[in-house]
Amino acid sequence: MTVQELSKLLAKYPGDMRVVVDGYEDGFDDIELDRVLVREIRLDAGSKCWEGCHRDARDTREGGNQIVNALVIHRASG
């Protein structure tokens, strides 16, 4: 998802609605505004069912060759 797509999506909801991300294994967590940042990620590098699809670009394990900048939103409890 791009910033433009996310912005368009969020514009459909009330401005005071809470935004969360899924928790580590279950439930939901708040987002910390000071933990929203741009990082380089390696696309399609996750291979295990418990991993995300993409990894930090500095991760040297096999998988995924394309590196892009992405807006990363971290969980408050993560």
Side-chain angles (χ1 to χ4, degrees), residues 40-57:
E40 284 189 331
I41 63 169
R42 186 177 306 276
L43 298 179
D44 303 318
S47 59
K48 308 289 190 271
C49 64
W50 63 85
E51 292 180 313
C53 294
H54 317 297
R55 288 195 200 128
D56 189 298

Side-chain angles (χ1 to χ4, degrees), residues 27-42:
F28 303 93
D29 285 317
D30 291 311
I31 293 171
E32 287 186 6
L33 292 178
D34 62 340
R35 295 191 68 204
V36 175
L37 53 111
V38 175
R39 288 185 86 156
E40 284 189 331
I41 63 169
R42 186 177 306 276

Side-chain angles (χ1 to χ4, degrees), residues 4 6-7 13 15 18-19 21-22 33-37 40 45 47 49 52 55 57 59 61-63 66 69-70:
Q4 184 177 15
L6 178 59
S7 179
Y13 299 96
R18 182 182 300 266
V19 178
V21 294
D22 57 326
L33 292 178
D34 62 340
R35 295 191 68 204
V36 175
L37 53 111
E40 284 189 331
S47 59
C49 64
R55 288 195 200 128
D59 189 325
R61 291 177 283 174
E62 283 189 39
Q66 186 177 6
N69 282 327

